[in-house]
Amino acid sequence: MTENDDQNEPTLFLIPTPIGNLEDISLRAMRILQTVDALACEDTRHTRKIFERHQLDSPPIIFACHAHNEDRAVGRILSLLRDGKSVGLTSDAGAPGVSDPGQRAAAAAIENGYKVDALPGPSAVITALMVSGLPVPAFSFLGFLPRRPGRQRKVFNAFAEAPTALVFFESPFRVAKILKIALECLGNREAAVCIELTKKFENIHRQRLESLIENFQEKKIKGEVTIVIGPPEREDAAIEQEDDINNMIP
């Protein structure tokens, strides 16, 4: 056990879980899952699959902590911490608090002076960036975009000049629509639509936005979708950098 995992001190452990393949869980995460006094889960059924797959012993207390009961669940977490208990927190897949429940629990624990320990682990964001094959000098994570097209345009326009890749989550029913708005705001960039990452039917589509729009216009998609859009073309970036230098010359 590492120093950070000392459960003699009441601690909230933020535990990432596999985004698809249940083998993508660390030894440390499995150990913490078994040794915490209580476990708060976005969906207890989902987390139980991890216990069953790896034949782990369940903690004595397991309860739900999701978007519809988060206030009550956070109160229970704080009560357990006050009693000197260690509490684990998992979302359905990936990292708690990153486009998933967990941030409010972490903030409340910190505000009340309790230790919060985040374990590294699976991430659809990093996995999509790696498998896209696109240049990633830096990246901006946009989470789930707003549902209204006007607000989506505002988000894309805000990043149109940034020399970064963009990565975000999207509903499988709106892929073609969001790609059209991205094309309108960002130009015909290289992109990747990543479907069901790490799962049996993982499918990665790598093309320019125009081609991806044509590809997904009539195609029905099932499963989780993460989209990566590459940074502005190097030629554009070079011209922009040259303009910046020229503007600095008196």
Side-chain angles (χ1 to χ4, degrees):
M1 179 175 290
T2 68
E3 183 179 347
N4 281 350
D5 297 340
D6 182 6
Q7 293 179 29
N8 292 324
E9 177 184 357
T11 301
L12 175 63
F13 291 95
L14 306 177
I15 309 169
T17 55
I19 60 175
N21 192 320
L22 293 181
E23 294 182 0
D24 295 333
I25 188 166
S26 71
L27 294 173
R28 183 183 174 203
M30 288 194 289
R31 174 170 53 75
I32 296 297
L33 284 171
Q34 294 182 98
T35 55
V36 289
D37 298 304
L39 184 62
C41 315
E42 182 178 3
D43 188 332
T44 56
R45 295 166 299 177
H46 182 93
T47 306
R48 285 189 191 280
K49 291 179 182 178
I50 298 172
F51 283 90
E52 292 168 1
R53 170 65 178 80
H54 297 287
Q55 300 180 329
L56 305 178
D57 297 325
S58 300
I61 302 171
I62 298 180
F63 59 96
C65 177
H66 49 68
H68 303 293
N69 80 335
E70 199 164 3
D71 285 340
R72 186 168 67 254
V74 168
R76 187 172 184 184
I77 289 170
L78 291 177
S79 177
L80 287 162
L81 293 170
R82 280 194 294 269
D83 290 342
K85 306 293 187 183
S86 60
V87 183
L89 177 62
T90 65
S91 53
D92 281 358
V98 182
S99 292
D100 271 327
Q103 182 274 331
R104 289 166 67 182
I110 293 167
E111 183 178 349
N112 283 271
Y114 296 109
K115 182 180 177 182
V116 175
D117 193 2
L119 280 62
S123 165
V125 174
I126 301 301
T127 303
L129 288 166
M130 290 192 298
V131 80
S132 73
L134 296 170
V136 185
F139 71 89
S140 297
F141 173 52
L142 308 182
F144 287 97
L145 294 176
R147 299 195 64 169
R148 295 182 181 179
R151 293 183 178 179
Q152 292 168 352
R153 289 186 178 90
K154 285 184 179 180
V155 173
F156 284 134
N157 285 333
F159 289 92
E161 303 300 325
T164 68
L166 305 178
V167 56
F168 55 94
F169 302 141
E170 187 50 88
S171 161
F173 307 108
R174 296 195 297 266
V175 170
K177 291 180 180 179
I178 198 67
L179 293 176
K180 286 180 181 177
I181 293 174
L183 174 64
E184 173 189 327
C185 299
L186 304 174
N188 194 23
R189 297 189 190 182
E190 294 281 356
V193 176
C194 308
I195 304 168
E196 292 287 84
L197 284 169
T198 78
K199 298 179 183 176
K200 182 178 180 180
F201 297 105
E202 175 180 286
N203 201 345
I204 315 297
H205 298 261
R206 305 174 183 88
Q207 292 173 299
R208 288 192 176 271
L209 287 171
E210 283 184 354
S211 299
L212 285 170
I213 292 167
E214 184 177 349
N215 189 18
F216 286 102
Q217 194 67 54
E218 304 296 334
K219 181 176 290 188
K220 292 184 178 179
I221 304 173
K222 292 182 179 180
E224 305 288 335
V225 178
T226 305
I227 297 176
V228 181
I229 300 177
E233 300 293 333
R234 290 184 179 180
E235 183 178 349
D236 294 342
I239 292 172
E240 194 173 296
Q241 184 178 17
E242 184 178 342
D243 290 342
D244 289 342
I245 292 172
N246 289 336
N247 289 335
M248 293 173 62
I249 298 174

